[in-house]
Amino acid sequence: MNEFDNFNVERTETGIASLSIESESAMNSLNDGMTEELLWLGTELNEDDDVRCIVLRGSDGVFCAGGNITSFDEDSSAPAQLRRGASFLNNVVYQLKRGETPIVTGIDGPAVGAGFALALLGDITLVHEEAYLQYGYPGVGLTGDGSATYFLPHLVGLQEAKRIALLNERIPADEAAEIGLVTEVADDESFDDRLEELATSLATGPTKALGAVSRQLEEAYARQLSEQLADEAEQIATAATTDDYAEGVSAFKEKREPDFVGY
Amino acid sequence: MNEFDNFNVERTETGIASLSIESESAMNSLNDGMTEELLWLGTELNEDDDVRCIVLRGSDGVFCAGGNITSFDEDSSAPAQLRRGASFLNNVVYQLKRGETPIVTGIDGPAVGAGFALALLGDITLVHEEAYLQYGYPGVGLTGDGSATYFLPHLVGLQEAKRIALLNERIPADEAAEIGLVTEVADDESFDDRLEELATSLATGPTKALGAVSRQLEEAYARQLSEQLADEAEQIATAATTDDYAEGVSAFKEKREPDFVGY
Amino acid sequence: MNEFDNFNVERTETGIASLSIESESAMNSLNDGMTEELLWLGTELNEDDDVRCIVLRGSDGVFCAGGNITSFDEDSSAPAQLRRGASFLNNVVYQLKRGETPIVTGIDGPAVGAGFALALLGDITLVHEEAYLQYGYPGVGLTGDGSATYFLPHLVGLQEAKRIALLNERIPADEAAEIGLVTEVADDESFDDRLEELATSLATGPTKALGAVSRQLEEAYARQLSEQLADEAEQIATAATTDDYAEGVSAFKEKREPDFVGY
């Protein structure tokens, strides 16, 4: 895998690909190069059967401060600039999510605006006790992109979602975990270990089934019961074609732990 | 603005239009005149750029006791009467919500049946410590209208929604806040101040962006990720056409607080 | 009503049909005969106006351990076997839910895999303090069926849903109630009484309205506001055709408790 200008990428023998945001712009903010690199990384890693969990985290006490507002146009070129940037980021998010490799985000510092959106991409999300999340966009008169308006209400319900987005307050780590915006909080000492533990837990699972379930749980909301049931029969039949299914059933019959390979 | 038979309307310099329900029928219950007035008010206020937040509250310790059941037919004319009343109320709710002016509800007393529905229209909802909410409809063999069946599950999740609707118990203020049915509780002394504070917080924001985000968060549930992402690019480009966007970016670059005008 | 190989069925004068799973296979696991019987029971009971609440519970300290994995194929016939089994179970679930008789589940022991799915079918769910729920499917490399992927996120939100499904841990009774996966916990001594109390509460209500509201609350997620409002006018007009509506309005006017008959 190549070197990147905005990410430090590490891969483990256990199938974890860890992307640390080390942005060239201030406060780990998004820039065009970073979005391009994330598209490249997301598509490559999702096609690689050896990658069984993607970890996305920040660096130096900042997860991601969002768009690089100092570069935003203030004149009539702004709508086109914003549409271009949002549509590109949105494609990155879609490819990252719909590749179906499980994702863990390690929110190791402030996550604001587009950084808030990236933080919520994790199937499992760990937040550092001193980090916070903030919706951010209304602070500059904007709405949201990068799936910020999609995952927020699904995670915490409509009441909390509106409070978080419309009042635009900082959500401390403890509160984020309490309302279900993130999965867990960890203190400074345990953060890295717990992040690896969660990633390993997913990376040793039946990757195809986990990826499919993650997608199904998201898609369930916009489907009526009959539609979701039809999808369940499709997905379970597909899962039954994998080596991991055969291994799971064998292990069950032999009363031992399964050893999943990810396909 | 005209005088009304069922509402006391006050407007502030700060862009808040406050509607206190003072119904001509008992217990602040709904009547046809009240619904007509609310349609008139909702459509007028939503078209008025000087209105940046609508507050809906009760009076004399009652928010709204729901439909005026003493006027309900019990014979074969009932289905047509109910369909007419529900469809009219539903249109009022739709116009009120989809005008996209942020709404705060001040639930300053019992909110039952259609009153329960109106209480949940707020993007931000403040409940008086001695108030309660009750789904109400099954008490007279009915289902729900005025968007009661829409906002309830989105706010609290399906489990709580069913408990609240099917067991039809009174939900005290504290419990309502705990499960996310409302945003906050306030005691008697602080209620009016906190209501104004919340309304002011929304009324000083970038109104168009806040209204769009509120709608997007609601619409996210019935959309798949790809659809919501497409909408995000649309809405953020639209937001970038507003004066509030230019002001927000200027203020950020100049490291000062933005002064939003609402368009 | 006939005798069954996998259920003990009891009916009360008060309109409760109680189905205790007493499966012929180990740990109250699903088998083809049991699914067939549940389809027969669900369709019969839903057509019977005297049945105003269905209770589904386990026996001997086990609710349902899921599919009978020892009978699962491990070779190339597995996908067809799984698709067949899932599609049949899914139809049972659909007919059971969409018959619109209110359902209470009594989770009186472990509920895993397809048992997890059945446990969540209740409009109201009571869990024994020593029982647990576990998503289960990924343990054998599978995704989910029987509406497991539908009700889980609707009940607890997307964050908890992913944690429960992807990490596949046992969810103890207390935690299940706290996060909204179930309605209530009961200790051993009070479990049967509380289960009957909840069932009676639904069985004495306006059955048609309760069934319609249950369905509406589920369907609300996949509908935009305008669509749900249109449905509300339909459903409330239909409810107004019932004897229970007329009784409810009479009782209200006469300031007495209504005596609903269920139609």
Side-chain angles (χ1 to χ4, degrees):
Chain A
M1 192 151 288
N2 307 325
E3 289 296 306
F4 299 92
D5 293 331
N6 295 280
F7 291 95
N8 181 38
V9 180
E10 290 178 19
R11 294 183 51 169
T12 69
E13 290 295 310
T14 52
I16 300 169
S18 180
L19 319 184
S20 298
I21 305 172
E22 297 186 1
S23 168
E24 290 190 301
S25 42
M27 287 292 285
N28 256 355
S29 63
L30 277 185
N31 57 63
D32 288 351
M34 182 175 153
T35 322
E36 280 173 39
E37 288 180 352
L38 192 54
L39 178 60
W40 199 92
L41 281 162
T43 48
E44 287 291 318
L45 297 173
N46 269 316
E47 292 294 330
D48 185 340
D49 271 350
D50 291 339
V51 177
R52 298 171 63 187
C53 180
I54 296 171
V55 172
L56 183 66
R57 61 178 300 176
S59 59
D60 295 331
V62 182
F63 180 75
C64 173
N68 186 9
I69 300 171
T70 53
S71 71
F72 282 14
D73 295 336
E74 294 169 57
D75 58 14
S76 63
S77 64
Q81 183 195 35
L82 266 291
R83 183 186 290 267
R84 207 159 44 234
S87 64
F88 190 50
L89 176 62
N90 290 353
N91 181 39
V92 173
V93 165
Y94 191 81
Q95 302 308 329
L96 203 54
K97 288 298 294 182
R98 287 300 172 255
E100 298 196 10
T101 306
I103 300 174
V104 176
T105 44
I107 309 164
D108 43 13
V112 183
F116 177 93
L118 292 179
L120 302 188
L121 294 186
D123 293 304
I124 302 288
T125 45
L126 183 70
V127 64
H128 187 285
E129 61 179 344
E130 288 171 19
Y132 64 86
L133 296 97
Q134 187 174 15
Y135 190 72
Y137 297 91
V140 288
L142 290 176
T143 46
D145 63 0
S147 74
T149 69
Y150 179 82
F151 284 105
L152 176 57
H154 287 83
L155 293 171
V156 299
L158 190 58
Q159 191 67 269
E160 293 286 6
K162 289 198 175 167
R163 182 177 66 82
I164 289 169
L166 303 184
L167 298 184
N168 196 24
E169 294 168 354
R170 292 181 178 186
I171 312 298
D174 283 342
E175 185 185 332
E178 195 183 315
I179 63 177
L181 187 60
V182 300
T183 315
E184 280 185 33
V185 186
D187 61 22
D188 191 62
E189 200 176 4
S190 63
F191 186 84
D192 287 353
D193 287 349
R194 183 59 182 151
L195 188 60
E196 189 181 342
E197 195 170 45
L198 289 167
T200 302
S201 174
L202 294 182
T204 53
T207 308
K208 298 300 180 201
L210 296 183
V213 168
S214 168
R215 180 175 183 150
Q216 286 179 285
L217 295 174
E218 294 171 8
E219 293 184 341
Y221 289 94
R223 289 210 190 107
Q224 295 299 356
L225 177 58
S226 57
E227 301 169 290
Q228 187 71 6
L229 290 172
D231 186 61
E232 284 186 351
E234 288 292 327
Q235 298 301 327
I236 208 166
T238 301
T241 65
T242 62
D243 291 355
D244 281 344
Y245 164 74
E247 164 63 9
V249 172
S250 289
F252 183 89
K253 291 178 181 175
E254 296 164 12
K255 298 182 197 296
R256 60 172 174 82
E257 288 297 304
D259 182 18
F260 294 123
V261 292
Y263 46 83
Chain B
M1 193 151 287
N2 307 326
E3 289 296 306
F4 299 92
D5 293 331
N6 296 280
F7 291 95
N8 181 37
V9 180
E10 290 178 20
R11 294 185 49 171
T12 69
E13 290 295 311
T14 52
I16 300 169
S18 180
L19 319 184
S20 299
I21 305 172
E22 297 186 1
S23 168
E24 290 190 302
S25 42
M27 287 292 285
N28 256 355
S29 63
L30 276 185
N31 58 63
D32 288 350
M34 182 175 152
T35 322
E36 280 173 39
E37 288 179 353
L38 192 55
L39 178 60
W40 199 92
L41 280 162
T43 48
E44 287 291 318
L45 297 173
N46 269 316
E47 293 294 330
D48 185 339
D49 272 350
D50 291 339
V51 177
R52 298 172 62 187
C53 180
I54 296 171
V55 172
L56 183 66
R57 62 178 299 176
S59 59
D60 295 332
V62 182
F63 180 75
C64 173
N68 186 9
I69 300 172
T70 53
S71 71
F72 282 13
D73 295 336
E74 294 168 58
D75 57 14
S76 64
S77 64
Q81 183 195 35
L82 265 290
R83 183 186 290 268
R84 206 158 45 234
S87 64
F88 191 49
L89 176 63
N90 290 353
N91 181 40
V92 173
V93 165
Y94 191 81
Q95 302 308 328
L96 203 54
K97 289 297 295 183
R98 287 299 173 256
E100 297 196 12
T101 306
I103 300 174
V104 176
T105 44
I107 309 164
D108 43 13
V112 183
F116 177 93
L118 292 179
L120 302 188
L121 295 185
D123 293 305
I124 302 289
T125 45
L126 183 70
V127 63
H128 187 285
E129 61 179 344
E130 288 171 19
Y132 64 85
L133 296 97
Q134 187 175 14
Y135 189 72
Y137 296 91
V140 287
L142 290 176
T143 46
D145 63 359
S147 74
T149 69
Y150 180 82
F151 285 105
L152 176 57
H154 286 83
L155 293 171
V156 298
L158 190 58
Q159 191 67 269
E160 293 286 6
K162 288 198 175 167
R163 182 177 66 83
I164 290 169
L166 303 185
L167 299 184
N168 196 23
E169 293 168 353
R170 292 181 178 186
I171 312 298
D174 282 342
E175 185 186 332
E178 196 183 314
I179 63 177
L181 186 60
V182 300
T183 315
E184 279 185 34
V185 187
D187 61 22
D188 191 62
E189 201 177 4
S190 64
F191 186 84
D192 288 353
D193 287 349
R194 183 59 182 153
L195 188 60
E196 189 181 342
E197 195 170 46
L198 289 167
T200 302
S201 174
L202 294 182
T204 53
T207 309
K208 298 300 180 200
L210 296 183
V213 168
S214 168
R215 179 175 184 152
Q216 287 179 285
L217 295 174
E218 294 171 8
E219 294 184 341
Y221 289 94
R223 289 210 190 107
Q224 295 300 356
L225 177 58
S226 57
E227 301 170 290
Q228 187 71 6
L229 290 172
D231 186 60
E232 284 186 351
E234 287 292 326
Q235 298 301 326
I236 208 166
T238 301
T241 65
T242 62
D243 292 355
D244 281 344
Y245 163 74
E247 165 63 9
V249 172
S250 289
F252 183 89
K253 291 178 181 174
E254 296 164 12
K255 298 181 197 295
R256 59 172 175 83
E257 288 297 304
D259 182 18
F260 294 123
V261 293
Y263 46 83
Chain C
M1 192 151 289
N2 308 326
E3 289 296 306
F4 299 92
D5 293 330
N6 295 280
F7 291 95
N8 181 38
V9 180
E10 290 178 20
R11 294 185 50 170
T12 69
E13 290 296 310
T14 52
I16 300 170
S18 181
L19 319 184
S20 298
I21 305 172
E22 297 186 1
S23 168
E24 291 190 303
S25 42
M27 287 292 285
N28 257 354
S29 63
L30 276 185
N31 57 64
D32 288 350
M34 182 175 153
T35 322
E36 279 173 40
E37 288 179 353
L38 192 55
L39 178 61
W40 199 93
L41 281 161
T43 48
E44 287 292 318
L45 297 172
N46 269 316
E47 292 294 330
D48 185 340
D49 272 350
D50 291 339
V51 177
R52 297 172 63 187
C53 180
I54 296 171
V55 172
L56 183 66
R57 61 177 300 175
S59 59
D60 295 331
V62 182
F63 180 75
C64 173
N68 186 9
I69 300 172
T70 53
S71 71
F72 282 13
D73 296 336
E74 295 169 57
D75 57 14
S76 63
S77 64
Q81 183 196 35
L82 266 290
R83 184 186 290 267
R84 207 159 44 235
S87 64
F88 190 50
L89 176 62
N90 290 352
N91 181 40
V92 173
V93 165
Y94 192 81
Q95 301 308 328
L96 203 54
K97 289 298 294 182
R98 288 299 173 257
E100 298 196 11
T101 306
I103 299 174
V104 175
T105 43
I107 309 164
D108 44 13
V112 183
F116 177 93
L118 292 179
L120 302 188
L121 294 186
D123 293 305
I124 303 289
T125 45
L126 183 70
V127 64
H128 187 284
E129 61 179 344
E130 288 172 19
Y132 65 86
L133 296 97
Q134 187 174 14
Y135 190 72
Y137 296 91
V140 288
L142 290 176
T143 46
D145 63 0
S147 74
T149 69
Y150 180 82
F151 284 105
L152 176 57
H154 287 83
L155 293 171
V156 298
L158 190 58
Q159 191 67 268
E160 293 286 6
K162 289 198 175 168
R163 182 177 66 83
I164 289 169
L166 303 185
L167 298 185
N168 195 24
E169 294 168 353
R170 292 181 178 187
I171 311 298
D174 283 343
E175 185 186 332
E178 195 183 316
I179 64 177
L181 187 60
V182 300
T183 315
E184 279 185 34
V185 186
D187 61 22
D188 191 62
E189 200 177 5
S190 63
F191 186 85
D192 288 352
D193 287 349
R194 183 59 181 152
L195 188 60
E196 189 182 343
E197 195 170 46
L198 289 167
T200 302
S201 174
L202 294 182
T204 53
T207 308
K208 299 300 180 199
L210 296 184
V213 168
S214 168
R215 180 175 184 150
Q216 287 179 285
L217 294 174
E218 294 171 8
E219 293 183 342
Y221 289 94
R223 289 209 190 108
Q224 295 299 357
L225 177 58
S226 57
E227 301 169 290
Q228 187 71 6
L229 290 171
D231 186 61
E232 284 186 351
E234 287 293 326
Q235 299 301 326
I236 208 166
T238 301
T241 65
T242 62
D243 291 355
D244 281 344
Y245 164 75
E247 164 63 9
V249 172
S250 289
F252 183 90
K253 291 178 181 174
E254 296 164 12
K255 298 182 196 296
R256 58 172 175 82
E257 288 297 304
D259 182 17
F260 294 123
V261 292
Y263 46 83

